[in-house]
Amino acid sequence: MNTAIEDDSTLTNRYQTTVPASVRRALKLKRRDRIHYVIRPNGEVVLTRARDESSQDPVIASFLAFLESDLQEHPENIRSVTASTFAEAERLTAGVEVDLDEALPEDDDDE
């Protein structure tokens, strides 16, 4: 990459943003890829593709390893997702509305 790329994005009320297409192309990012941030003392932020899984949450990693092991040891417990499965999920979530742009409660803003 010989030319500097500059672009902007906006934070939602939930502190989420979309990575601009120009940045995604430059970093060859795909859906579900991880991004690594380095914040320098002068406030400059360097955004790169995450290289390894070592920064993964150890609790989530352990849980996923447990699931993988359990599925391998007990494949008889694996069930197909059927139309009735979806119908049951819809029944259980009926009336639940989610607004991804909803502001976080005050006590959640202090990260």
Side-chain angles (χ1 to χ4, degrees), residues 17-76:
T17 190
T18 299
V19 177
S22 60
V23 175
R24 292 192 312 265
R25 282 192 299 271
L27 297 178
K28 297 180 173 71
L29 293 171
K30 299 182 293 290
R31 290 188 172 126
R32 309 300 302 163
D33 279 348
R34 294 171 13 93
I35 298 172
H36 178 75
Y37 300 86
V38 175
I39 303 170
R40 297 186 174 159
N42 66 356
E44 184 179 61
V45 177
V46 178
L47 179 142
T48 57
R49 287 179 66 124
R51 284 180 231 145
D52 65 337
E53 299 297 318
S54 63
S55 62
Q56 211 177 40
D57 182 322
V59 174
I60 300 269
S62 295
F63 179 67
L64 292 175
F66 161 76
L67 286 178
E68 179 182 19
S69 172
D70 189 60
L71 290 170
Q72 288 175 350
E73 292 176 23
H74 303 286
E76 68 277 8

Side-chain angles (χ1 to χ4, degrees), residues 18 42 58 62 80 85 90 102 107:
T18 299
N42 66 356
S62 295
S80 299
T85 306
E90 286 178 339
E102 181 181 340
D107 59 339

